[in-house]
């Protein structure tokens, strides 16, 4: 394909093309004057720009670097700094945009999962009794790495063991007492088969609630006292410059995100780090798995804009992976293999994360002061959303979250959770021990590990490194899902990830605390189908009591009848006790805030009213979540996979059509269930009404709570107010302002047609001139299709293929300007935002 079929208005095309170049009027007139003497003026423009690098078969290829440098030089004349580190050369000597530093390759190899210790013991005994046999590689005890940094014996180890023993005792004792009273409440006192099943489910669910209650109680005492001798944040650190060896990489993995929001948050974090005076110790990496070609172009343009504005070339890097292997964990692993060895620490961010410079510096200092720490997890505070649902969730996490996080730290100490973001990690042990092999087998619970964070923490602790929660460290922020349905979509991914992790429960060498973490991760979702089953059994028991003949003799050779007994007063007492376990922590959390000052929560009265409204709202959502979580668990266990997509990063509202489609089954179920119970025993409906009533109201509740207008109305009334709204931290203010002022970034079409945007994308792509004949024919056919049929006829894979191949993209760029066959939809007057 060539450009011999030139447009009859080729000189006009050259004039329009030069008008988009960043040239002075005199330079533009001179360029057009020379080009107008040629039979193909636009090709002559490219030749004049390229000089010795001109390629007559692909005129636009040689002008890529001059076009981009022209725009950047123009920006420099306007007072914006351009560093020489912005450009490099490939193996063919072509100038490329330096989006990443030189490689520092390191090994990051996955070991096979070490076997269940009980199964390994059984196999060893079998081999011994049967006369041996060669040990299989996956059974090799060396699969469990020896600790290369044994944690020194300290008082916190003893304290952790004692505290966990107390927790287990409290949970078991409370569960035994509650189950005993539940037995007394049932008509046959546990003698009926349905009652036995109900008692088992009740004991499991009550133990789960009890564990949360005692966690909150310990958090309440910890926050009320205000002193924690074992807090990692209480470590004594020198208030001085970080040493040269304490370099930290700040990683932000992204995938098809809102580009403006991502870079606004990253810019706020970057500026805050520079403001701390210790910016030289930090480098930033945007690690993209984006598959949407429009967002891909926008990301590259936003990166260049950021680097230009802050002088970040060589310090702020951008990489897009071509092959999205293992999702986020694979993206981080890719960084570790290529550049991880250049850093002592790395901080993982989510796409919606914002962190203050003081927080990041403090994390690095804490790592320096605690050589045995492998991971320090912050407790991010949710803020930044305006829908009613998000504001209620922000309020809940801000008011109740510190209580539970402090309680988790009380029980776990140096064997804590890692939530995958807003945390600092020691790179060397992570490289040595935290690579994640695939889970063997088939189905939805095998393959790539989805919830990688819990597993990485368990592997880090298995290797002898501590994992801490810095629950009292300020300056770490994130965003909540904007509505109920988006939260449930996220929960489905987390549900499947936690169920997969439970397969590792018996892996050799794991610390019991992290086995408990796997268990709690599963129970967070398994409790839903257990609760649902318990409710179904109670309805079935009611039906049995209504239709079946009473069984007075339930045991063989029983001399005296067993009369059914109902004790509603005991049932009310048991219900009240359970409600106390659920709701008392929320009251205690408000008491802690009132004791320290509630001004930034809207005042004491407003805070209390907000807590009561949140309590009602969460109680109404609980049955809805129960039904969805039960479905998620069932689907995962049946091997039904999911699509792992990035959540929305803006205030998206739920339309009625989507709410009806997603909540319709639950609504019908609630109506039929209520009708059945009313038919069986009208008085029992009052006990079940909080569940079936919430299911029937799920559709309007989901829609109305997603409204931004309602959220702002409550905000104006200071309800559900949090300190991050009352007095926004500098970093959140910068993020909101940057998001508001973000330009309109280019898309795929602009990357093809605009001279500067095309030069930007081509300079970041790969120019492979030595393709096979089959690949060349495929690319020529793709160019012909793109040229004649326009961008709308290209799918995402075809667009990404063009964006990756700078030779093909530059050729298409020239053709849409010169060929009379070019589809009219190609041409656009939009200028690239980052270079205008």
């Amino acid at each position: 394909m060539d450009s011999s079929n030139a447009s009859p208005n080729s000189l006009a095309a050259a004039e329009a093309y030069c008008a988009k170049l960043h040239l002075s009027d005199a330079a533009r007139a001179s360029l057009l004057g020379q080009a107008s003497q040629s039979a193909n003026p636009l090709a002559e423009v490219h030749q004049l720009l390229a000089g010795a690098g001109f390629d007559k078969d692909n005129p636009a290829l040689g002008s890529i670097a001059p076009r981009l440098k022209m725009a950047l030089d123009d920006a420099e004349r306007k007072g914006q700094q351009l560093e020489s580190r912005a450009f490099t050369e490939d193996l063919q000597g072509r100038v490329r945009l330096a989006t990443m530093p030189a490689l520092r390759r390191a090994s990051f190899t996955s070991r096979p999962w070490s076997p269940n210790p009980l199964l390994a013991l059984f196999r060893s005994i079998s081999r011994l009794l049967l006369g041996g046999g060669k040990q299989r590689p996956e059974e090799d005890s060396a699969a469990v790495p020896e600790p290369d940094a044994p944690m020194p014996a300290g008082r916190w180890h003893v304290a952790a063991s004692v505290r966990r023993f107390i927790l287990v005792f409290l949970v078991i004792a409370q569960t035994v007492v509650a189950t005993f009273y539940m037995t007394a409440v049932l008509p046959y006192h546990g003698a009926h088969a349905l009652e036995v099943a109900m008692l088992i489910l009740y004991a499991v669910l009550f133990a789960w609630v009890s564990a949360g209650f005692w966690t909150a109680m310990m958090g309440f005492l910890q926050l009320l006292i205000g002193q924690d001798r074992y807090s990692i944040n209480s470590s004594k650190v020198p208030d001085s410059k970080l040493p040269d060896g304490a370099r930290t990489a700040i990683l932000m993995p992204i995938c098809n995100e809102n580009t403006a929001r991502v870079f606004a948050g990253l810019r706020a974090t970057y500026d805050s780090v520079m403001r701390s005076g210790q910016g030289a110790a930090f480098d930033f990496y945007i690690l993209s798995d984006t598959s949407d070609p429009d967002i891909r172009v926008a990301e590259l343009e936003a990166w260049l804009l950021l680097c230009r504005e802050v002088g970040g070339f060589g310090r702020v890097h951008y990489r897009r992976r071509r092959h999205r292997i293992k999702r986020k964990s694979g993206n981080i692993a890719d960084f570790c293999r290529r550049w991880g060895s250049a850093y002592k620490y790395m901080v993982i961010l989510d796409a919606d994360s914002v962190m203050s410079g003081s927080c990041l510096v403090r994390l690095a200092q804490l790592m320096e002061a605690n050589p045995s720490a492998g991971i320090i997890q912050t407790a991010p505070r949710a803020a930044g959303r305006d829908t009613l649902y998000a504001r209620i969730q922000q309020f809940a996490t801000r008011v109740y979250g510190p209580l539970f996080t402090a309680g988790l730290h009380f029980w776990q100490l140096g064997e804590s959770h890692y939530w995958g973001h807003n945390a600092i990690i020691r790179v060397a042990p992570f490289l040595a021990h935290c690579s994640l092999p695939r889970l063997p087998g088939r189905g939805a619970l095998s393959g790539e590990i989805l919830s990688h964070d819990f597993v990485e923490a368990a592997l880090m602790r298995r290797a002898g490194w501590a994992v801490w929660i810095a629950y009292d460290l300020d300056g770490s922020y994130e965003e909540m899902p904007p509505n109920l349905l988006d939260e449930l979509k996220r929960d489905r991914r987390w549900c499947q990830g936690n169920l997969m992790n439970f397969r590792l429960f018996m892996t050799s060498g794991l610390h019991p605390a992290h086995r408990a973490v796997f268990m709690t991760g599963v129970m967070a979702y398994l409790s839903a189908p257990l609760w649902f089953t318990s409710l179904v059994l109670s309805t079935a028991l009611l039906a049995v009591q209504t239709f079946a003949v009473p069984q007075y003799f339930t045991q063989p050779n029983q001399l005296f009848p067993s009369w059914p007994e109902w004790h509603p007063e005991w049932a009310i007492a048991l219900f009240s006790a359970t409600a106390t376990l659920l709701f008392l922590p929320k009251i205690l959390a408000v008491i802690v805030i009132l004791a320290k000052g509630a001004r930034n929560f809207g005042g004491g009265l407003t805070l209390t009213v907000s807590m009561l409204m949140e309590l009602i709202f969460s109680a109404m959502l609980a049955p809805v979540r129960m039904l969805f979580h039960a479905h998620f668990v069932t689907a995962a266990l049946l091997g039904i996979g999911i699509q792992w997509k990035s959540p929305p990063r803006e205030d998206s509202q739920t339309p009625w059509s989507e709410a009806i489609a997603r909540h319709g089954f639950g609504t019908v179920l609630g109506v039929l269930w209520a009708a059945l119970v009313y038919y069986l025993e009208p008085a029992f409906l009052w006990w079940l009404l909080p569940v079936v009533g919430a299911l029937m109201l799920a559709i309007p509740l989901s829609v109305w709570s997603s409204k931004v207008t309602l959220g702002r109305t409550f905000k104006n009334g200071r309800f559900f107010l949090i300190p991050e709204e009352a007095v926004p931290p500098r970093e959140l203010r910068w993020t909101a302002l940057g998001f508001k002022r973000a330009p309109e970034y280019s898309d795929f079409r602009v990357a093809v047609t605009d001279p500067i945007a095309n030069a930007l994308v081509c300079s970041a792509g790969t120019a492979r001139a030595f393709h096979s004949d089959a690949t060349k024919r495929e690319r020529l056919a793709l160019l012909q299709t793109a040229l004649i049929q326009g961008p709308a006829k290209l799918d995402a894979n075809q667009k990404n293929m063009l964006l990756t191949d700078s030779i093909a993209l530059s050729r298409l760029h020239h053709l849409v300007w010169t060929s009379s066959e070019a589809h009219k939809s190609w041409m656009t007057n939009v200028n690239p935002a980052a270079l205008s």
Side-chain angles (χ1 to χ4, degrees):
M1 184 184 297
D2 57 41
S3 57
S4 58
N5 188 12
S7 169
N9 297 320
S10 55
L11 181 58
E15 292 175 348
Y17 191 90
C18 289
K20 291 179 174 291
L21 298 175
H22 288 226
L23 293 169
S24 64
D25 292 341
R28 185 177 294 106
S30 174
L31 184 63
L32 282 173
Q34 298 177 68
S36 62
Q37 307 302 316
S38 171
N40 193 334
L42 192 51
E44 184 66 19
V45 167
H46 287 298
Q47 182 171 3
L48 292 170
L49 293 175
F54 180 69
D55 182 353
K56 65 178 181 179
D57 293 328
N58 188 359
L61 180 62
S63 68
I64 290 173
R67 279 184 276 146
L68 184 58
K69 287 185 175 181
M70 191 183 302
L72 295 175
D73 289 342
D74 181 59
E76 191 175 21
R77 286 194 300 271
K78 294 178 181 179
Q80 295 167 325
Q81 183 181 5
L82 173 64
E83 300 183 18
S84 60
R85 289 179 290 178
F87 293 98
T88 186
E89 289 188 356
D90 62 16
L91 296 177
Q92 286 76 40
R94 296 188 179 93
V95 175
R96 293 194 62 202
L97 201 59
T99 61
M100 293 295 286
L103 292 175
R104 290 280 301 272
R105 291 194 180 274
S107 175
F108 192 42
T109 306
S110 300
R111 298 180 178 89
W113 289 113
S114 50
N116 179 327
L118 299 179
L119 182 60
L121 178 62
F122 173 77
R123 287 173 175 171
S124 298
I125 295 174
S126 299
R127 283 193 299 269
L128 182 63
L129 296 177
L130 298 177
K134 189 174 181 180
Q135 190 176 15
R136 294 190 297 177
E138 63 268 25
E139 298 175 22
D140 188 357
S141 60
V144 181
E146 291 295 326
D148 54 6
M151 290 185 290
R155 298 182 63 181
W156 74 262
H157 294 84
V158 177
S161 299
V162 172
R163 291 177 178 186
R164 291 165 195 162
F165 176 80
I166 294 173
L167 173 64
V168 172
F169 172 79
L170 291 173
V171 170
I172 292 177
Q174 201 171 41
T175 302
V176 168
V177 172
T179 306
F180 171 78
Y181 276 97
M182 183 64 178
T183 304
V185 168
L186 295 175
Y188 289 103
H189 309 310
H192 196 283
L194 284 176
E195 292 183 348
V196 172
M198 289 179 61
L199 286 172
I200 293 174
L201 292 176
Y202 179 82
V204 173
L205 292 171
F206 192 91
W208 173 244
V209 172
S210 177
F213 170 78
W214 289 113
T215 297
M217 288 299 296
M218 294 304 104
F220 169 71
L221 294 176
Q222 195 68 71
L223 295 179
L224 203 61
I225 295 171
Q227 294 180 353
D228 185 358
R229 62 189 302 180
Y230 296 117
S231 169
I232 189 71
N233 193 33
S234 65
S235 303
K236 294 182 180 179
V237 299
D239 188 15
S240 59
K241 182 180 178 182
L242 289 168
D244 294 337
R247 296 192 66 213
T248 302
I250 299 176
L251 314 182
M252 179 177 278
I254 58 177
C255 181
N256 298 320
E257 306 283 356
N258 184 315
T259 304
R261 169 59 186 85
V262 166
F263 280 85
L266 188 68
R267 170 68 185 273
T269 301
Y270 180 92
D271 288 342
S272 186
V273 169
M274 295 301 115
R275 189 184 180 93
S276 71
Q278 304 223 43
F282 297 87
D283 288 339
F284 290 74
Y285 288 81
I286 302 105
L287 306 176
S288 175
D289 272 345
T290 293
S291 59
D292 186 302
D294 293 332
I295 299 178
R296 176 180 171 182
V297 173
E299 288 175 358
L300 185 61
E301 200 168 73
W303 167 80
L304 186 62
L305 175 62
L306 174 63
C307 289
R308 269 182 39 202
E309 291 182 344
V310 303
F313 292 105
R315 186 175 299 280
V316 181
H317 308 286
Y318 172 81
R319 168 172 168 76
R320 178 189 173 272
R321 291 197 303 168
R322 295 185 183 180
H323 305 290
R324 188 185 175 190
I325 300 172
K326 293 186 178 181
R327 301 176 177 86
K328 180 180 176 180
S329 64
N331 207 350
I332 295 172
D334 178 78
F335 165 83
C336 289
R337 291 189 185 95
R338 294 170 181 266
W339 297 280
S341 60
Y343 299 93
K344 190 173 184 179
Y345 311 118
M346 61 182 179
V347 175
I348 312 298
L349 303 180
D350 261 359
D352 59 358
S353 296
V354 177
M355 295 186 73
S356 69
S358 60
C359 178
L360 289 166
V361 170
R362 178 68 177 175
L363 285 174
Q365 291 174 335
L366 291 174
M367 278 292 200
E368 288 289 293
N370 296 273
S372 64
I375 300 175
I376 301 178
Q377 171 70 62
T378 66
R381 294 174 177 173
R385 289 286 170 81
D386 282 334
T387 65
L388 177 60
Y389 183 85
R391 293 200 64 250
I392 294 176
Q393 297 306 105
Q394 288 170 181
F395 173 82
T397 58
R398 187 64 174 85
V399 174
Y400 318 136
L403 207 70
F404 286 95
T405 308
L408 278 177
H409 176 266
F410 181 86
W411 301 121
Q412 295 175 331
L413 296 183
E415 285 126 3
S416 291
H417 282 70
Y418 163 50
W419 294 312
H421 61 93
N422 293 43
I424 191 169
I425 300 174
R426 196 177 298 268
V427 174
F430 189 86
L431 285 173
H433 305 291
C434 295
S435 182
L436 303 179
R438 293 169 57 89
L439 285 174
R442 297 181 179 179
L445 300 183
S446 60
E448 299 171 359
I449 291 178
L450 301 181
S451 295
H452 59 94
D453 37 21
F454 285 8
V455 183
E456 289 163 346
L459 295 179
M460 184 72 80
R461 177 61 187 89
R462 184 175 75 169
W465 300 83
V467 181
W468 293 91
I469 295 180
Y471 68 93
D472 51 353
L473 182 60
D474 295 331
S476 178
Y477 310 101
E478 63 176 349
E479 291 180 350
M480 298 296 295
N483 56 65
L484 174 61
L485 291 181
D486 284 327
E487 182 189 84
L488 290 171
K489 293 173 186 176
R490 181 194 67 179
D491 282 352
R492 181 167 189 180
R493 300 192 303 271
W494 287 1
C495 174
Q496 182 165 336
N498 279 282
L499 291 175
M500 291 178 68
N501 289 350
F502 192 66
R503 291 186 58 190
L504 303 174
F505 182 80
M506 292 301 293
T507 299
S508 294
L510 296 186
H511 192 278
H514 284 283
R515 298 189 199 273
V517 168
F518 289 163
M519 175 66 77
T520 57
V522 170
M523 276 302 299
Y525 297 96
L526 190 60
S527 59
L530 294 181
W531 181 24
F532 181 76
T533 304
S534 178
L535 292 172
V536 170
L537 289 178
S538 66
T539 305
L541 183 62
L542 179 65
V544 169
Q545 296 298 317
T546 302
F547 296 115
V549 177
Q551 298 179 14
Y552 299 110
F553 295 91
T554 58
Q555 302 293 331
N557 303 317
Q558 184 175 340
L559 296 178
F560 301 99
S562 298
W563 303 104
E565 295 180 88
W566 294 95
H567 295 281
E569 69 281 1
W570 290 7
I572 294 173
L574 189 60
F575 174 80
S576 302
T578 306
T580 300
L581 297 188
L582 290 171
F583 301 128
L584 181 59
K586 298 188 176 187
I587 299 172
L588 295 178
V590 171
I591 291 174
V592 170
I593 294 174
L594 293 175
K596 297 183 177 181
R599 179 178 179 181
N600 289 336
F601 289 89
L605 179 60
T606 305
L607 171 64
T608 304
V609 173
S610 298
M611 182 269 291
L612 293 174
M613 288 192 292
E614 189 282 331
L615 190 151
I616 296 172
F617 184 74
S618 63
M620 294 182 68
L621 287 185
V624 181
R625 289 195 179 104
M626 172 199 69
L627 193 61
F628 275 89
H629 288 183
H631 168 68
F632 298 160
V633 172
T634 304
L637 294 178
L638 292 176
I640 302 174
I642 60 169
Q643 291 185 338
W644 197 273
K645 295 182 179 179
S646 299
R649 306 295 181 186
E650 59 277 341
D651 286 322
S652 58
Q653 301 183 131
T654 302
W656 284 97
S657 57
E658 185 179 5
I660 293 171
R662 297 297 301 276
H663 296 292
F665 172 78
T667 301
V668 173
L669 176 64
V671 172
L672 296 179
W673 200 346
L676 174 62
V677 170
Y678 184 81
Y679 171 75
L680 295 175
E681 176 56 59
F684 190 77
L685 181 60
W686 292 105
W687 291 93
L688 197 63
L689 190 60
V691 174
V692 295
L695 293 177
M696 289 186 282
L697 294 175
I699 293 174
L701 190 65
S702 183
V703 172
W704 293 336
S705 65
S706 73
K707 299 294 185 183
V708 174
T709 52
L710 283 177
R712 290 174 179 167
T713 299
F714 278 89
K715 184 177 181 179
N716 293 335
R718 300 181 66 80
F719 292 106
F720 308 118
L721 188 69
I722 58 175
E724 287 71 26
E725 291 177 327
V727 185
R730 181 188 298 112
E731 292 75 20
L732 294 185
R733 295 200 308 270
W734 289 348
T735 300
L737 186 60
F739 185 38
K740 183 179 180 180
R741 294 180 176 178
E744 183 179 353
Y745 296 112
S746 301
D747 56 16
F748 171 78
R749 183 182 61 172
V750 177
V752 172
T753 59
D754 189 274
I756 307 304
N758 176 260
L760 169 62
V761 176
C762 286
S763 65
T766 304
R768 289 192 173 91
F770 306 104
H771 286 303
S772 66
D773 291 340
T775 301
K776 289 180 180 179
R777 288 193 296 271
E778 179 186 356
R779 295 294 166 87
L780 287 174
L782 176 58
L783 286 177
Q784 185 71 23
T785 300
L787 178 70
I788 297 175
Q789 299 185 22
K793 296 298 182 180
L794 301 177
D795 61 30
N797 290 332
Q798 292 172 319
K799 291 178 180 179
N800 279 318
M801 186 181 297
L802 291 170
L803 291 175
T804 302
D805 187 344
S806 60
I807 293 178
L809 187 63
S810 58
R811 189 186 299 275
L812 180 60
H813 171 67
H814 184 66
L815 289 172
V816 298
W817 278 93
T818 59
S819 176
S820 59
E821 296 182 76
H823 195 275
K824 62 180 180 179
S825 64
W826 275 117
M827 300 312 296
T828 176
N829 294 322
V830 177
N831 288 317
L835 302 176
S836 59

